[in-house]
Amino acid sequence: MKLFIDSAEIKEIEEAAATGLIDGVTTNPSLIAKSGRPFAEAIKEICALVDGPVSAEVAATDFDGMVAEGRALGGIAENVTVKLPLTWEGLRACKTLSEDGFLTNVTLCFSATQALMAAKAGATFVSPFIGRHDDVGFEGMQLIRDIKTIYDHYEELETEILVASVRHPLHVRDAAMTGAHVATLPPAIFKALLNHPLTDKGLAAFLADWQKTGQTVPRA
Ligand code: G3P
């Protein structure tokens, strides 16, 4: 499963990218606002930090505006992925931009029928928000399973499921068990993927016992 970082904070992205284990970045208008950075400047800098797809969301809600903004965003760097809302205008713009060769990410997905339509519009990615689904008493992970079931039936649907609005490592585990293609993680959750007290305890015990041998491990 590909792991993206869900942030517009350069330092957070740099730290995660340094692990060599992230495959892309997603941003959205709220994350850009939180960063306090000029939009195009931030996206250009992020695109230079990672080789993988970097999602940058349009602000327009009409077809012409979304296409114009999408083309401009796509011109910032080859790995820019134009993020579009799951509306009729957004799907029209997705179809046009995808046919023109731009990477696209249809966002704010909350139903399997929405995800089916995003795939029919040729989206590179669809972003079902599982955390926000859970927040209102629905099971976000069931949405992922339903979308995966539908997509697996039709080889012509090439859209990748990009699991978003992830709240904890169990969301990542469960998403991976569904076979979802991507999960985009807040930096803190990316870091938490490795957390386990028994790993820490076991390593401390190994090192303490090794210390007692008085030996050193040869180095090349
Ligand atoms: O990229 C979508 C993601 O940022 C939404 O997450 O936590 O605002 O639901 P959240």
Side-chain angles (χ1 to χ4, degrees), residues 30 81 84 131 161 165 177 220:
S30 302
T81 304
L84 300 147
I161 302 168
S165 189
M177 290 176 73

Side-chain angles (χ1 to χ4, degrees), residues 1 3 130 139 141 144-145 163 166-180 182-183 185 189 192-193:
M1 184 168 76
L3 296 179
I130 59 173
E139 194 198 343
M141 204 52 67
I144 304 303
R145 288 190 287 268
V163 179
V166 169
R167 295 280 193 273
H168 45 69
L170 290 182
H171 269 162
V172 182
R173 178 200 67 183
D174 294 345
M177 290 176 73
T178 70
V182 189
L185 316 181
I189 294 171
L193 293 179

Side-chain angles (χ1 to χ4, degrees), residues 6 26 28 31 83 129 132 164-165 167 184:
D6 194 37
T26 52
N28 62 43
L31 293 171
K83 215 174 190 184
F129 282 26
R132 295 192 193 185
S165 189
R167 295 280 193 273
T184 192

Side-chain angles (χ1 to χ4, degrees), residues 191-203:
K191 288 178 190 171
L193 293 179
L194 260 58
N195 289 354
H196 199 295
L198 290 181
T199 301
D200 300 341
K201 186 179 175 189
L203 181 57

Side-chain angles (χ1 to χ4, degrees), residues 4 25-29 39 43 47 52-87 89-108 118 121-127 159-160 162:
F4 290 4
V25 174
T26 52
T27 72
N28 62 43
F39 185 25
I43 294 300
C47 286
V54 174
S55 288
E57 190 160 341
V58 299
T61 55
D62 64 298
F63 171 78
D64 292 333
M66 284 192 247
V67 170
E69 290 179 5
R71 291 189 197 285
L73 290 171
I76 293 172
E78 280 192 3
N79 52 331
V80 165
T81 304
V82 181
K83 215 174 190 184
L84 300 147
L86 223 158
T87 61
E89 291 289 281
L91 292 189
R92 280 184 64 209
C94 175
K95 193 168 191 304
T96 295
L97 291 166
S98 297
E99 287 170 351
D100 286 355
F102 292 95
L103 295 171
T104 53
N105 178 359
V106 173
T107 190
L108 288 167
T124 312
F125 302 104
V126 65
S127 290
T159 299
E160 294 192 356
L162 196 167

